[in-house]
Amino acid sequence: MFRSLGVMASIAARYLRRERRAVLAISTIATGIALLLVSSLLSTIIIDQSRFLAIAYSFDAAQLVRAATALSLVAVLVGAAETGVVMSRVVLSRIKSVGVMRATGIGNSRVFSLFLLEAAFYGIIGGAIGIMVGAGIATASVIVSLGSGALTAVLSPLPLVAAEGLGLSVLVSVLAAIFPTAKAVYMRIISAIYYE
Amino acid sequence: MESSEFVAEVEGVWKVYITRGASIPALRGVSLRIRRGEFLCIMGPSGSGKTTLLNLIGGLDSTSKGRILIDGIDLTGLSTSELSRLRHSLMGYIFQSFNLISVLNAVENVELPLIFDPIEGEELRTRAKALLERVGLGHRLTHRPSELSGGEQQRVAVSRALISNPHIVLADEPTANLDGKTGREILELMKKLNREDKVSFIIATHDRRVTEFADRVVNLIDGEVVGEEIVKEGSPALNK
Ligand SMILES: Nc1ncnc2c1ncn2[C@@H]1O[C@H](COP(=O)(O)OP(=O)(O)O)[C@@H](O)[C@H]1O
Ligand SMILES: [Mg+2]
């Protein structure tokens, strides 16, 4: 079990290193997660700071936050769609390999997991970059606008928000990879081997 | 099962492809038995059904009629996963276009069929290296396919086919993408491994030179076996 995982991880890592398309998937995921992070870290500050505005113009500051969150979720979804497109290209370029693996008797579920694991790697890397960038932007904007005193309040939810962001990016990448992978794995073996 | 004289038995096999309403009978009642350790050549012009026959024997596709037994096991009734396991333990495949995995180096490509098996990584590595040394690639272990010549890639593919100690190695036009001299070297290599390991080789080809190495040549035309030549060991090709 663990050996299988180790083997899959090492193969997926090898693919990852040599897959140019990965950059695209990773950067879109990173953008989405960064936006999500910025909006959730700054939400308390935004509500706090817009209180006066809200009183003056009688609107709900929380609405502003919800709008920002919705926007970043859209970014994450776009990242997901992009990952889906990238994964289908990746799988397409490897249909022959999938055929050969299946011919030699490597089970469908293992071939399947191999691709999903690779997608999960995209999610982890993209998510991690997004978290660093997002936390960086939030920190910088707080320091510039309110000074470093406000920093502790802003950064206190960081571990939780970061964990959520990472979970979301992995989930989204894996989900996006399922359909294109299923197509290759459940294709007739000979069609896969002789695929051009 | 080991006691059976034949590793593969093809009994009255038909294969009809159905594409857009048209049905193409690629095999029309083929019967054939392959002995343990035999070096068999399936010879025929392009379109005669060689690849189809090889795919059926290899458990990669199913027959329209008739049956195929591998080590006495009828492939017809097997589930996808049973078939997968049978291919895994009994078959090795060699393709015309090598079909190595481009991101893996030579040793890793050879290890591929067994990477999920309960075998120590060290042991698998040792076996893969030993095979590559046997095929004369001891100095190319960590090269990737793009850094190897066609002949070298096919040697890697031959090693990959043998890593699981299969009973049958199926090779579809293994020399078609190689120049004459390299093709001959690959055939010599396959013959050597066939003799040393007692593993059966079934080679589909339209290349007459293969017959020089074969124990037996089966001629296939339009999906039917039209004749057989028994080639005596060590004798040159019967037909030139
Ligand atoms: N997947 C397929 N769908 C439809 N027809 C096919 C398919 N594969 C092969 N054929 C047809 O079956 C016949 C035999 O093909 P094949 O087994 O590839 O012959 P060979 O390997 O001897 O060239 C040919 O007429 C070919 O066009
Ligand atoms: Mg063919």
Side-chain angles (χ1 to χ4, degrees), chain A residues 102-106, chain B residues 1 7-8 55-60 68-93 164-168 170:
Chain A
R102 291 170 59 204
T104 65
I106 295 178
Chain B
M1 281 187 298
V7 271
N55 289 340
L56 293 177
I57 297 173
L60 297 173
I68 289 175
L69 307 178
I70 300 296
D71 269 356
I73 304 166
D74 188 348
L75 299 189
T76 322
L78 299 187
S79 69
T80 310
S81 60
E82 286 170 330
L83 210 49
S84 177
R85 251 174 282 140
L86 180 134
R87 287 198 305 267
H88 186 60
S89 53
L90 302 180
M91 310 281 186
Y93 304 87
S164 55
N165 296 321
H167 293 181
I168 310 175
L170 301 149

Side-chain angles (χ1 to χ4, degrees), chain A residues 188, chain B residues 17 19 24 26 44-53 172-173:
Chain A
R188 291 169 64 216
Chain B
Y17 291 110
T19 41
I24 304 160
S46 175
S48 56
K50 304 179 297 291
T51 298
T52 303
L53 180 57
D172 192 7
E173 309 275 6

Side-chain angles (χ1 to χ4, degrees), chain B residues 91-109:
Chain B
M91 310 281 186
Y93 304 87
I94 297 169
F95 305 96
Q96 175 177 341
S97 49
F98 325 133
N99 284 358
L100 300 176
I101 296 195
S102 60
V103 298
L104 301 180
N105 66 30
V107 191
E108 291 162 344
N109 264 290

Side-chain angles (χ1 to χ4, degrees), chain A residues 6-187:
Chain A
V7 167
M8 283 195 271
S10 80
I11 293 187
R14 247 161 237 286
Y15 270 122
L16 192 70
R17 277 216 310 272
R18 312 204 54 77
E19 187 59 74
R20 294 229 179 86
R21 300 170 186 87
V23 178
L24 199 66
I26 288 170
S27 48
T28 12
I29 296 170
T31 312
I33 296 298
L35 285 173
L36 194 70
L37 221 78
V38 169
S39 73
S40 40
L41 286 180
L42 296 185
S43 59
T44 41
I45 300 275
I46 293 172
I47 294 175
D48 205 46
Q49 293 299 306
S50 54
R51 195 180 302 133
F52 304 109
L53 270 177
I55 292 166
Y57 296 98
S58 70
F59 72 83
D60 185 3
Q63 240 167 18
L64 204 65
V65 172
R66 277 202 291 276
T69 310
L71 204 66
S72 45
L73 274 175
V74 168
V76 173
L77 285 179
V78 170
E82 189 69 57
T83 314
V85 171
V86 170
M87 279 318 286
S88 46
R89 284 196 215 132
V90 165
V91 174
L92 210 64
S93 72
R94 287 197 221 136
I95 283 185
K96 265 169 124 48
S97 309
V98 170
V100 172
M101 286 187 191
R102 291 170 59 204
T104 65
I106 295 178
N108 288 358
S109 58
R110 280 185 167 137
V111 178
F112 213 117
S113 327
L114 201 56
F115 283 96
L116 296 192
L117 197 66
E118 184 175 337
F121 279 171
Y122 292 162
I124 291 171
I125 298 171
I129 295 174
I131 288 164
M132 287 188 289
V133 171
I137 291 174
T139 307
S141 57
V142 167
I143 291 176
V144 167
S145 58
L146 304 169
S148 48
L151 221 49
T152 17
V154 173
L155 291 184
S156 64
L158 183 61
L160 185 69
V161 174
E164 278 171 7
L166 200 63
L168 188 68
S169 62
V170 171
L171 184 74
V172 150
S173 319
V174 172
L175 286 180
I178 287 179
F179 181 70
T181 308
K183 226 176 83 181
V185 169
Y186 296 111
M187 192 173 195

